[in-house]
Amino acid sequence: MDTEHPLQELEHHQDHQVQRLTHQDSPPSPSHRIQMSTASDAVAILTDQPEGIVPPSKHGTTIQTPTTPTKGFVRQSFEQPHPENMAGQTRDYRHRIKSQNSNEPIVMDEAPSRCSTQVPRQSEDDLERGIQEITVPMSEPEGSFSGHTTDEAITKLIDIATEVLNQYNTQSTSLQHFVKYITSISSIATVIAILSLLAFYIYGTLTAKPSPPRLIGIIVEVAILAGIFVWNAYINRRDLQLRGREVKDRVRGVIMELETIRLQPGQELKIPSIPSVSTARVIRSGVVRTIPSNLLVKGDLIEMVYGDVAPCRVLCMLSRHRIEHPNSPLYTQGTHPAHHQNQLPQESNFSKHGTSPHVREFFLNRKEPFQPSLFGASPSEEKQKLYNESKGRYTFEVLETPLERILHTVLDPAPRPISLIMKQYILVNNIIFFKVMVAVTILAFAINLLRYVLKEVIQLDHESNGVEQLLTLPVYAALPLLPLSLPTLIQISKAYTNATILVLFNTLQISKTEYEDEQDVDEFDVEAPPPTKNVTIETKEVWKRFWRLLTRWGSGGADFDDGLTRSTNLVESLGGITVICSIDKEGTIATAFPAVDQVLVATEDEEMVVLDVLEDNFSPNGLRFEDKDWETYIQSLKPIGLNQLLNTNCGALSAPRRREPHRKCNTMHYHCRTRAAQQTCLCRLGREIGFTKEALYPFTLEKEIMCFHPYLPMPPMTFGKLATYEIPTMLSTIYHEQGSNGYLVLTDGHVECVVECCTEYWNGTGVQDLSDTMLKKVSDFYQTAAVNDLQCVAYAYRPLAIEMDQDSAKFDPSIFEFVTLPARALPEAEDGQLESSSKHETIPEQQEAGDPEKAAMTSALQTDHQDIAISSLQDQANVVIDVGGVGDGGYDGQQYGAPLDEAAVTSAKAETGPLTRWRKLRGMYQGENPDQDQGDQDQDQDQGQEYDPLQAHEDEEEMGPQAPVNSQEFFEEAVQGQIFLGMTTLAHQPKTNVCDFIEDLGLAGIRFVYFSPASERESKAFANRLGLETDWNSCILLSSASDPFGGSTGYLESYDIKAQLPRGIENIRPHLENVDDIPLHVSLFAECGPEAATEMIKIFQDYGEVVCCIGSSLNIDNIAAFAKADISVGMEPIRMGSSPESRSAYSLGAKINSLPCGLTMHSETSLYALTQVIREARRLLNSQRQGVVFMIASFMSISLLLLVSYCFLLPPAMTGYQILWLMWIIVPLLILSFFFSPHEPNTMTMMPSKNTSPLKDLPRFIIYFLARFILPIGMCVFVFLYVLQVYDGQEGYSFIFNSFGNGRPWLSWTEDEQWALLYAQNLTMVVWVWYMIWMSSTFMSRTLSMRSFMPWKNKVWIGTCVTSFILQLAFCAISVFQGPHRIRGLPWWLFVIAFLWPLAFLPVQEVMKARDMKECVRAQKLAKLEFNTKLGMHSPL
């Protein structure tokens, strides 16, 4: 073999005369581009550059360097787009610009380019159509491995849903509802009033001859009250039934959808595999489909790979026969052994699970990860052979239907907490409508009893007046205090407010306008409210939705847009939210695709440089380097960029430039569970580095090699049920370069796999030996990244020297190669960790001992076995894996998931770091001891012999065996001895506006809480990106310390050693009762599972918090939390069609998981939509509350008016039907207009009230009522008395107590006396309505004066005031139309004083509101102080 270095050898296979490739339609790119048309261009970036390379031209000219025959050559082409082309391209890319959260389908190359012939990978369109069909050999019993058909599965789902639904259909009968209603206080009082009025009517009819006209009014009042009683009973029964049927109707809607629609075939997600999306690969009719986990049924066959979490209880089908699927690119041709039979004889009689009775059964419980330890601590050789033959894909049988558990959770009869406004209504009902009513009734009875005894009996001898005065008059006084119209008003107000919220929410999701601050708001103001979207709500749509909600008896639950308005108390819950809990991260509050955060490359002086990368929607590629001098390291970045563009199939060779994050199209995640970083395409970074698609034309994909290492030793710590299990993987691709006819291997994947398969690294100018110094720097960076919630992807490269004249040099392009690396012993540890860099910086060779931050971090990581370095890493599997070399397949080491004792943990304390393991493996490759190898190298250098890494590499190539192409040995050798290129770190960044959304929630008095399943350090790292506090008392661990697999070993002593924080969800309540309330003020809970999150939500509610839960609608674990929270918002992590034509299995799965949710949010909808809905709900809720207060006050003023008239020994100022007119027509019109009031400026800066004390300072409010209503009531009494005196024809002031009607009994009054009383009552009603109109203007806002909150801005209120007064005038005119008197008979000054009297009592209203405002400001300050204070035991202050 030639002694020339393999990287240089490929350069002599091609002509040095190359021509520049151009493409006129290429979109704008960074300042310089790299176009590689030959293999020399591809590999020269990894070798020494010739002298005299001209730096990139700033004028955009093309510079070509002369070819050299020795070291290789690089041709750089730097293009400046033409001006007119630039304009068109800029318009085009702006037209196609999209949010970084977009989940559009991946655009694939439909055909190979003119210069490239690629092996056909499975494109995104193929993935959306599902996995190709699997055929079953005839030797297997028919149908035994084909699984259910889609129709069979849907039928089972329908049957199970119907069966569960029938179990909850035991509703109480109508008689029971009627008995409950008839025994309520208001119903009993109404019946007593009806009987009292009926008794007086009967008495008057029997005794009065002739019967007076007033008795007709009495029987009308009885009929009206009876009708109201029946109507309220119907309203009560309807509300209870609709509240109980609301969720059930949704379930019926799902059943109807299953019966009527045809689900599309299995679709592949357009986002990476993330925890917030629960899916399963199920075999339906022999075809593997990816569907939501909640659509599985008992008896389904599903495929699982290592790292998958069991969706329910499942059984591993080891007794199944082999499967043949020749048409799928995911499988090899020929017979595919699904699972090994353990060489057991086939039995004719199978068990109920379909397995032989001689075969051991392996079960997985729900949420249990599938790990190699399922088959034992040390998998046998046959199990490992089975893994290779099945390519990591195991078949499991589903033993239960997840939908059954879901429906039991959703249909749980345990109600949600009662809303604060309903508690206030209940309290008002008990105080105003019971205690005050009873007091007024007793007082009225006592006054009339005294009058009857002292005047009617003793003085006038009118005993016949007793029935009317003792039965009728107390009823009139108590009638306004009966909640007769309140149930109807509540139903109307709820229907309108819910319709407004639902229409607004849908409009915000449809609208494409941006969220902006209001014109009079300074965006830099600390107290500025959150921005809003200027949208126009269709009034017609609001009233249409209002009528549907008001008149609906039951729609079958087909319309999810109507929300759970009754069971969730939609408006009350939204307007009173005090805590918003996020139980998911990816796809909800963070992007589904992780974004590139840093790039690590090596430099010439054995240093590592970190370059920061930012997402930028205004950049042509959607991202950019944050460092201005990043081009200094362009030679180190080139091979990484080429790797990122070639190792994907996202359409990099097609014309459209993709600016948004998208998925990397390979099938590795079908064979093991991989992190989102390995599924995210980074072609955008490759283009940002400078590559154009012309540089990719000469390369042809020949082979894909997928490397897996499933058999790893157990780390010296508990794995934890909440952590994500992952096995190390890497993808190596063999490319053929047409110009040189050479081959090269490009690799990306897990850091441990890639680094342990590398012997050298590229420093930008040449290839150097991967020394211990560089290994330590890579290890430090890797561990630091993991601690900071970053996912790493490493890159490597190597050339392949293949004799092309051999027949065996033809690769088989129809299949990929599956390589499994054997298990190895766990080497000893290497401690040490590197501080992460926020700026691009050089990583020194040794850490400075004087660095206090480093010392603190190192101290935290090197204490005892409870704080070892990897205990805080996001994924422990990322750190303790062991790959490469030849090992014993029967290794007895512990596997992931195997139980650990304390001795094992202690003994393995030091065997954690990847650095020493990498050193050992490098020695094992050469069959030497690594320490001895390093010593020999040092000894050679001491003796003056220079160590040549190139020569060492060549010697290794010469000594290595030459396996034939397409053999397993060839591919195992091809992935070894690679050249390390660098690393990229990726992180799930918060979605657009999420950080500002969280900040604005704090200003609104709403605490944002994130429940994280990760460890404390990783949770704090992500919380820091969200803008949450991560310092003192900022994080509580909800995992139990007694659970051997519950999580970490405790709090990090370097942060919270003095803080007394509870550990475990079971200790939260005792801590709140006995220590402090810190758990209620914390915004971050780590090591939190679904059960702990649900219980914590319940604790929040028990302590008065109104909880809104937001989470993924495709996460099956979120249902319990959704059902427990006051209001839940199901967020779609992916874009799903909503129309029946485009509806997929994912949309149906999301609908099932969202059954308890009041609202559902699309994936592209900003969270600011939620704040705007909360803002609107607060406005409506304040309007509703002020309307109820005004209604109660106005009704109490009527009772007060009647009591005063009784005290003057006069007839009632209003009769029963007049009171009912005011209660059902005038006052409702006025209070319903409150819903159209404008927003108060401080709506989203006010602290909401907790759901604990529904009403405080009741005596203060009674004083406010008397002060605000005493003047209007006094004038009404005066008008009543004076008009009664004028029309009765009396003079002087003796009429006040004794004159009217003294001559005869009331039932014997003359016609003139009855007309005089009727005139007085009607004119008093007109004056009262006039005063209530003016009073209503002061009740629109509780605290703001009429100068700050102008009521005339409410146009609906102005129209309602005019309408109410006109209606009252019409009522008065009709009542006295045939009367003998004229209004002109009253003096003019009476009208002037009466109608100008509001000028006297309106200032009193402003004074009372100003006093109330002082109390509110004081309460707000105390609430904000409590909200922002989280000091507890051992506080630093």
Side-chain angles (χ1 to χ4, degrees):
M1 181 179 293
D2 191 0
T3 59
E4 189 177 16
H5 190 274
L7 296 177
Q8 302 172 358
E9 179 183 357
L10 290 178
E11 297 179 5
H12 300 291
H13 292 287
Q14 49 92 25
D15 185 6
H16 295 301
Q17 301 297 329
V18 294
Q19 297 182 355
R20 179 173 174 268
L21 297 175
T22 59
H23 191 72
Q24 299 298 330
D25 299 330
S26 60
S29 67
S31 60
H32 63 277
R33 300 171 179 268
I34 304 169
Q35 294 186 344
M36 302 179 183
S37 59
T38 64
S40 174
D41 299 325
V43 300
I45 57 176
L46 302 177
T47 61
D48 296 337
Q49 304 298 323
E51 297 181 0
I53 290 295
V54 182
S57 172
K58 296 183 179 180
H59 301 286
T61 58
T62 301
I63 301 175
Q64 294 187 357
T65 61
T67 59
T68 58
T70 55
K71 282 290 185 179
F73 125 118
V74 172
R75 179 171 56 80
Q76 297 176 332
S77 178
F78 308 99
E79 300 178 344
Q80 182 71 24
H82 217 268
E84 55 264 20
N85 292 341
M86 172 69 79
Q89 292 163 356
T90 304
R91 288 192 300 268
D92 178 65
Y93 108 79
R94 287 180 179 175
H95 176 70
R96 290 183 285 106
I97 187 170
K98 294 180 181 178
S99 170
Q100 70 179 57
N101 305 327
S102 175
N103 294 324
E104 287 289 341
I106 298 179
V107 180
M108 307 302 303
D109 291 332
E110 296 298 336
S113 65
R114 55 185 176 86
C115 300
S116 176
T117 56
Q118 302 284 345
V119 172
R121 297 190 193 177
Q122 195 170 29
S123 68
E124 185 70 11
D125 295 334
D126 295 331
L127 293 177
E128 289 188 5
R129 286 191 293 269
I131 302 174
Q132 306 239 354
E133 187 171 349
I134 300 174
T135 59
V136 183
M138 294 305 296
S139 58
E140 182 76 296
E142 183 177 358
S144 60
F145 202 77
S146 61
H148 292 306
T149 64
T150 302
D151 293 338
E152 292 174 350
I154 291 179
T155 301
K156 284 193 173 184
L157 286 174
I158 294 174
D159 293 341
I160 291 175
T162 305
E163 180 182 355
V164 174
L165 190 62
N166 292 334
Q167 298 177 11
Y168 292 89
N169 278 339
T170 57
Q171 300 180 358
S172 56
T173 61
S174 300
L175 180 60
Q176 291 175 331
H177 285 295
F178 183 75
V179 170
K180 184 177 180 180
Y181 171 77
I182 200 66
T183 55
S184 63
I185 298 173
S186 59
S187 299
I188 294 175
T190 304
V191 172
I192 293 176
I194 293 174
L195 295 178
S196 300
L197 293 176
L198 186 61
F200 171 66
Y201 173 78
I202 296 174
Y203 174 79
T205 304
L206 296 177
T207 58
K209 301 296 182 181
S211 177
R214 288 190 299 112
L215 292 180
I216 300 177
I218 294 294
I219 196 61
V220 171
E221 293 167 5
V222 171
I224 293 175
L225 285 177
I228 292 175
F229 178 80
V230 176
W231 171 255
N232 287 341
Y234 168 76
I235 290 293
N236 178 268
R237 175 177 176 269
R238 175 179 179 270
D239 183 66
L240 289 176
Q241 290 193 357
L242 286 180
R243 185 180 296 270
R245 290 176 48 183
E246 201 168 32
V247 179
K248 299 174 185 177
D249 286 343
R250 278 196 167 187
V251 177
R252 294 186 184 97
V254 171
I255 296 175
M256 292 172 57
E257 189 168 342
L258 285 171
E259 293 174 343
T260 56
I261 72 170
R262 181 74 176 180
L263 293 180
Q264 294 181 0
Q267 292 183 330
E268 181 61 22
L269 291 173
K270 302 172 186 177
I271 60 174
S273 301
I274 52 179
S276 59
V277 178
S278 303
T279 59
R281 290 186 292 275
V282 62
I283 302 175
R284 294 277 170 84
S285 302
V287 179
V288 181
R289 307 175 186 272
T290 303
I291 64 172
S293 301
N294 52 20
L295 296 182
L296 295 175
V297 297
K298 183 178 180 180
D300 264 334
L301 300 180
I302 62 174
E303 281 192 351
M304 293 182 64
V305 297
Y306 287 149
D308 282 344
V309 178
C312 54
R313 183 168 172 81
V314 294
L315 167 68
C316 184
M317 309 295 292
L318 288 180
S319 65
R320 292 296 180 183
H321 282 258
R322 305 186 176 195
I323 317 171
E324 183 178 351
H325 34 73
N327 297 326
S328 175
L330 304 179
Y331 302 87
T332 59
Q333 290 185 346
T335 303
H336 169 59
H339 296 291
H340 202 341
Q341 300 181 42
N342 293 335
Q343 305 299 329
L344 293 177
Q346 181 72 23
E347 297 289 336
S348 58
N349 296 325
F350 289 91
S351 66
K352 62 179 179 180
H353 302 303
T355 59
S356 171
H358 300 287
V359 177
R360 180 182 176 184
E361 295 181 340
F362 298 97
F363 294 88
L364 283 176
N365 294 320
R366 188 173 69 89
K367 296 192 300 184
E368 185 177 354
F370 179 34
Q371 308 171 51
S373 60
L374 176 67
F375 307 117
S378 177
S380 62
E381 182 178 353
E382 293 183 353
K383 294 294 191 302
Q384 298 183 31
K385 181 180 179 183
L386 171 63
Y387 179 80
N388 294 333
E389 293 176 344
S390 63
K391 289 182 169 49
R393 303 172 67 161
Y394 291 85
T395 302
F396 285 77
E397 181 182 0
V398 177
L399 302 182
E400 59 185 6
T401 303
L403 182 62
E404 184 175 3
R405 178 184 58 84
I406 293 173
L407 294 182
H408 281 295
T409 303
V410 171
L411 297 174
D412 185 7
R416 284 183 164 97
I418 302 176
S419 64
L420 177 61
I421 195 169
M422 291 306 298
K423 288 183 178 180
Q424 293 174 344
Y425 165 73
I426 294 173
L427 184 63
V428 167
N429 188 55
N430 294 333
I431 294 177
I432 303 298
F433 298 134
F434 176 65
K435 295 181 180 179
V436 176
M437 181 193 65
V438 172
V440 168
T441 304
I442 294 175
L443 182 60
F445 183 82
I447 293 174
N448 287 283
L449 180 61
L450 288 175
R451 177 169 68 171
Y452 175 72
V453 173
L454 298 178
K455 180 181 178 182
E456 304 296 338
V457 175
I458 298 177
Q459 182 180 355
L460 301 176
D461 195 22
H462 293 164
E463 292 85 354
S464 60
N465 291 343
V467 177
E468 183 174 3
Q469 294 179 358
L470 297 180
L471 293 181
T472 306
L473 298 188
V475 169
Y476 286 166
L479 191 61
L481 301 180
L482 288 176
L484 300 178
S485 60
L486 188 59
T488 302
L489 290 177
I490 288 178
Q491 295 299 319
I492 294 175
S493 62
K494 281 189 173 183
Y496 178 77
T497 55
N498 289 326
T500 303
I501 290 297
L502 293 174
V503 173
L504 173 63
F505 190 67
N506 293 336
T507 305
L508 290 174
Q509 297 200 83
I510 297 173
S511 174
K512 301 300 181 182
T513 58
E514 298 295 331
Y515 288 89
E516 299 177 352
D517 293 304
E518 296 182 359
Q519 295 180 356
D520 55 344
V521 174
D522 183 5
E523 61 178 336
F524 298 102
D525 186 5
V526 178
E527 298 295 331
T532 57
K533 182 181 290 190
N534 188 14
V535 295
T536 302
I537 303 179
E538 293 292 338
T539 306
K540 181 179 179 181
E541 182 63 26
V542 173
W543 289 111
K544 180 180 178 182
R545 184 70 61 92
F546 160 77
W547 184 252
R548 187 168 66 202
L549 293 176
L550 185 65
T551 60
R552 181 179 63 182
W553 179 256
S555 62
D559 192 355
F560 260 63
D561 291 338
D562 285 346
L564 299 179
T565 57
R566 286 178 169 82
S567 59
T568 63
N569 299 311
L570 185 62
V571 176
E572 294 93 329
S573 298
L574 285 173
I577 289 175
T578 60
V579 173
I580 291 183
C581 297
S582 175
I583 53 179
D584 280 310
K585 178 174 70 173
E586 301 88 350
T588 54
I589 60 175
T591 56
F593 287 91
V596 180
D597 186 71
Q598 294 173 329
V599 180
L600 177 75
V601 293
T603 59
E604 301 179 25
D605 51 355
E606 258 190 273
E607 293 181 349
M608 300 296 250
V609 174
V610 178
L611 301 174
D612 293 335
V613 182
L614 294 177
E615 292 283 335
D616 185 1
N617 286 334
F618 298 100
S619 173
N621 296 309
L623 50 77
R624 62 177 176 85
F625 284 95
E626 185 179 9
D627 310 293
K628 296 182 179 179
D629 59 342
W630 68 272
E631 294 179 2
T632 307
Y633 310 99
I634 189 64
Q635 300 301 330
S636 299
L637 291 171
K638 287 178 183 179
I640 296 179
L642 181 65
N643 190 316
Q644 292 168 343
L645 284 169
L646 288 179
N647 264 9
T648 184
N649 193 29
C650 68
L653 296 179
S654 46
R657 178 191 292 265
R658 304 202 64 183
R659 300 184 61 260
E660 72 281 358
H662 51 277
R663 190 169 185 177
K664 183 177 181 180
C665 287
N666 61 51
T667 57
M668 181 172 289
H669 59 281
Y670 285 113
H671 304 275
C672 74
R673 189 174 185 87
T674 57
R675 303 289 293 276
Q678 290 182 253
Q679 301 180 41
T680 301
C681 180
L682 300 183
C683 66
R684 300 184 302 150
L685 182 60
R687 291 196 301 267
E688 184 68 19
I689 292 174
F691 281 93
T692 60
K693 60 182 180 181
E694 288 84 356
L696 310 181
Y697 287 154
F699 297 94
T700 302
L701 176 63
E702 298 289 346
K703 196 70 172 180
E704 287 186 347
I705 307 173
M706 297 184 183
C707 299
F708 304 87
H709 201 316
Y711 307 112
L712 299 175
M714 179 69 182
M717 58 178 295
T718 57
F719 176 70
K721 294 183 296 186
L722 306 178
T724 302
Y725 176 79
E726 178 188 13
I727 65 175
T729 60
M730 67 181 184
L731 174 65
S732 296
T733 53
I734 300 178
Y735 276 89
H736 174 248
E737 202 281 326
Q738 296 178 359
S740 65
N741 202 23
Y743 293 85
L744 64 155
V745 177
L746 295 176
T747 298
D748 65 76
H750 204 283
V751 178
E752 296 266 358
C753 278
V754 174
V755 173
E756 292 176 358
C757 293
C758 293
T759 57
E760 296 165 318
Y761 73 95
W762 170 250
N763 64 2
T765 58
V767 177
Q768 300 295 330
D769 180 61
L770 193 58
S771 61
D772 288 349
T773 301
M774 297 303 294
L775 283 174
K776 184 178 187 305
K777 292 176 180 179
V778 173
S779 174
D780 289 343
F781 178 82
Y782 172 47
Q783 295 191 51
T784 303
V787 167
N788 287 277
D789 192 33
L790 300 176
Q791 303 176 32
C792 294
V793 178
Y795 302 93
Y797 159 88
R798 72 162 294 181
L800 289 179
I802 303 176
E803 297 293 337
M804 298 308 299
D805 54 352
Q806 297 179 3
D807 295 336
S808 59
K810 302 296 183 181
F811 289 99
D812 185 358
S814 62
I815 60 174
F816 67 87
E817 196 62 33
F818 188 91
V819 175
T820 303
L821 301 176
R824 298 188 60 85
L826 187 69
E828 64 183 58
E830 176 70 24
D831 289 324
Q833 198 169 26
L834 175 69
E835 287 291 327
S836 62
S837 58
S838 60
K839 186 76 175 157
H840 100 272
E841 59 186 29
T842 301
I843 301 177
E845 180 175 347
Q846 300 292 338
Q847 297 295 336
E848 294 295 331
D851 187 355
E853 294 184 4
K854 172 62 183 172
M857 179 67 72
T858 306
S859 173
L861 296 177
Q862 295 179 348
T863 52
D864 55 10
H865 72 279
Q866 294 182 347
D867 292 294
I868 56 179
I870 68 167
S871 64
S872 59
L873 298 184
Q874 180 182 13
D875 189 353
Q876 292 81 1
N878 287 352
V879 181
V880 296
I881 63 174
D882 189 13
V883 188
V886 179
D888 183 11
Y891 169 64
D892 278 338
Q894 286 180 308
Q895 307 297 321
Y896 278 121
L900 287 177
D901 54 15
E902 189 67 24
V905 174
T906 305
S907 63
K909 166 188 171 182
E911 302 179 354
T912 59
L915 177 58
T916 302
R917 180 171 58 258
W918 292 342
R919 290 172 176 170
K920 278 195 171 187
L921 288 174
R922 293 183 66 241
M924 291 177 181
Y925 291 150
Q926 301 175 0
E928 301 174 358
N929 184 286
D931 299 331
Q932 180 66 31
D933 177 72
Q934 183 67 25
D936 293 343
Q937 180 177 335
D938 296 339
Q939 183 179 2
D940 292 340
Q941 294 178 357
D942 293 339
Q943 295 175 359
Q945 299 178 3
E946 183 179 358
Y947 175 75
D948 186 1
L950 298 181
Q951 184 64 35
H953 191 289
E954 294 166 8
D955 295 341
E956 180 182 353
E957 290 289 339
E958 292 178 359
M959 296 175 61
Q962 296 296 323
V965 174
N966 286 325
S967 66
Q968 182 74 14
E969 294 79 6
F970 172 83
F971 295 115
E972 291 178 356
E973 293 177 3
V975 298
Q976 301 294 341
Q978 300 193 54
I979 301 169
F980 181 75
L981 299 178
M983 297 166 56
T984 58
T985 62
L986 297 91
H988 291 279
Q989 299 293 341
K991 281 186 175 181
T992 306
N993 298 331
V994 167
C995 297
D996 296 333
F997 164 79
I998 295 174
E999 182 180 359
D1000 292 333
L1001 286 181
L1003 298 177
I1006 302 174
R1007 192 179 309 280
F1008 181 85
V1009 176
Y1010 172 53
F1011 292 107
S1012 172
S1015 63
E1016 181 181 2
R1017 286 182 186 265
E1018 303 157 52
S1019 300
K1020 286 186 174 181
F1022 179 70
N1024 189 47
R1025 293 198 287 270
L1026 290 175
L1028 300 177
E1029 295 183 10
T1030 56
D1031 46 8
W1032 184 263
N1033 284 350
S1034 59
C1035 180
I1036 291 180
L1037 305 182
L1038 293 185
S1039 62
S1040 176
S1042 60
D1043 189 350
F1045 291 94
S1048 66
T1049 54
Y1051 290 99
L1052 300 176
E1053 296 183 356
S1054 59
Y1055 291 94
D1056 300 323
I1057 186 173
K1058 294 182 180 180
Q1060 186 171 344
L1061 298 176
R1063 170 70 191 279
I1065 188 63
E1066 68 278 2
N1067 296 320
I1068 298 295
R1069 291 184 185 273
H1071 185 93
L1072 292 172
E1073 296 172 358
N1074 304 320
V1075 183
D1076 52 44
D1077 62 346
I1078 291 299
L1080 301 179
H1081 296 266
V1082 169
S1083 295
L1084 179 61
F1085 292 90
E1087 300 180 8
C1088 177
E1091 295 82 4
T1094 305
E1095 180 61 25
M1096 194 64 214
I1097 290 175
K1098 182 65 168 62
I1099 293 175
F1100 277 133
Q1101 293 171 337
D1102 292 344
Y1103 281 84
E1105 305 288 354
V1106 180
V1107 181
C1108 172
C1109 180
I1110 59 176
S1112 169
S1113 58
L1114 283 176
N1115 191 347
I1116 196 173
D1117 295 328
N1118 291 344
I1119 299 175
F1122 284 161
K1124 181 60 65 177
D1126 296 85
I1127 180 72
S1128 301
V1129 181
M1131 304 179 66
E1132 298 175 354
I1134 60 176
R1135 185 177 300 173
M1136 295 179 291
S1138 58
S1139 62
E1141 294 79 11
S1142 62
R1143 187 162 295 160
S1144 66
Y1146 291 105
S1147 63
L1148 182 59
K1151 180 173 290 189
I1152 293 175
N1153 291 340
S1154 302
L1155 285 173
C1157 295
L1159 298 173
T1160 55
M1161 184 180 293
H1162 301 325
S1163 60
E1164 63 274 10
T1165 302
S1166 172
L1167 282 176
Y1168 270 138
L1170 191 57
T1171 58
Q1172 188 162 350
V1173 168
I1174 292 174
R1175 174 175 176 260
E1176 184 68 14
R1178 285 189 176 186
R1179 183 191 69 83
L1180 294 172
L1181 202 60
N1182 290 335
S1183 300
Q1184 183 178 358
R1185 186 180 289 110
Q1186 289 301 111
V1188 172
V1189 171
F1190 173 72
M1191 181 190 68
I1192 294 174
S1194 60
F1195 290 171
M1196 290 181 64
S1197 68
I1198 297 176
S1199 297
L1200 183 60
L1201 174 62
L1202 291 172
L1203 287 177
V1204 173
S1205 66
Y1206 296 163
C1207 292
F1208 283 98
L1209 306 180
L1210 294 174
M1214 296 182 187
T1215 60
Y1217 71 90
Q1218 295 171 341
I1219 295 173
L1220 294 176
W1221 164 263
L1222 297 176
M1223 291 177 63
W1224 278 85
I1225 303 298
I1226 303 300
V1227 174
L1229 283 177
L1230 292 175
I1231 65 177
L1232 290 178
S1233 66
F1234 286 10
F1235 290 119
F1236 302 91
S1237 301
H1239 285 275
E1240 296 186 14
N1242 59 349
T1243 300
M1244 288 303 290
T1245 57
M1246 297 289 291
M1247 303 294 295
S1249 301
K1250 288 192 174 183
N1251 194 8
T1252 50
S1253 301
L1255 191 60
K1256 299 179 181 179
D1257 299 335
L1258 184 61
R1260 180 165 60 91
F1261 289 111
I1262 294 178
I1263 294 175
Y1264 286 170
F1265 164 75
L1266 294 176
R1268 298 179 69 171
F1269 279 86
I1270 191 66
L1271 291 179
I1273 297 305
M1275 180 55 67
C1276 289
V1277 172
F1278 173 76
V1279 170
F1280 175 71
L1281 293 176
Y1282 191 83
V1283 173
L1284 197 63
Q1285 180 261 343
V1286 169
Y1287 287 123
D1288 192 38
Q1290 303 183 22
E1291 298 180 356
Y1293 296 98
S1294 61
F1295 70 91
I1296 294 181
F1297 288 102
N1298 258 343
S1299 62
F1300 186 80
N1302 289 339
R1304 57 187 61 84
W1306 286 14
L1307 291 176
S1308 302
W1309 280 345
T1310 64
E1311 185 176 351
D1312 290 340
E1313 290 175 332
Q1314 295 187 40
W1315 277 112
L1317 178 61
L1318 187 60
Y1319 270 86
Q1321 290 173 340
N1322 279 275
L1323 290 177
T1324 302
M1325 288 179 63
V1326 172
V1327 174
W1328 184 87
V1329 171
W1330 174 253
Y1331 292 163
M1332 291 304 105
I1333 289 175
W1334 285 99
M1335 291 289 291
S1336 65
S1337 65
T1338 65
F1339 274 84
M1340 287 188 187
S1341 175
R1342 175 182 173 182
T1343 57
L1344 297 180
S1345 65
M1346 296 180 65
R1347 293 175 300 173
S1348 302
F1349 190 79
M1350 301 176 183
W1352 49 85
K1353 289 185 177 181
N1354 187 347
K1355 307 301 182 183
V1356 177
W1357 173 78
I1358 295 177
T1360 302
C1361 292
V1362 174
T1363 303
S1364 300
F1365 194 70
I1366 292 176
L1367 287 176
Q1368 185 57 48
L1369 291 177
F1371 182 88
C1372 178
I1374 294 174
S1375 299
V1376 299
F1377 177 72
Q1378 297 180 348
H1381 307 291
R1382 294 293 179 264
I1383 302 299
R1384 289 175 296 180
L1386 297 174
W1388 62 269
W1389 57 265
L1390 180 64
F1391 293 97
V1392 173
I1393 294 176
F1395 283 95
L1396 293 182
W1397 191 245
L1399 298 178
F1401 62 75
L1402 284 180
V1404 178
Q1405 311 300 317
E1406 295 297 306
V1407 172
M1408 292 295 100
K1409 290 175 67 175
R1411 183 178 180 85
D1412 191 24
M1413 186 175 184
K1414 291 182 180 180
E1415 297 293 335
C1416 290
V1417 170
R1418 178 176 176 272
Q1420 283 291 308
K1421 290 182 178 180
L1422 292 176
K1424 289 185 178 180
L1425 181 63
E1426 180 184 359
F1427 180 82
N1428 296 318
T1429 303
K1430 57 175 184 176
L1431 300 179
M1433 294 289 292
H1434 306 289
S1435 169
L1437 299 181

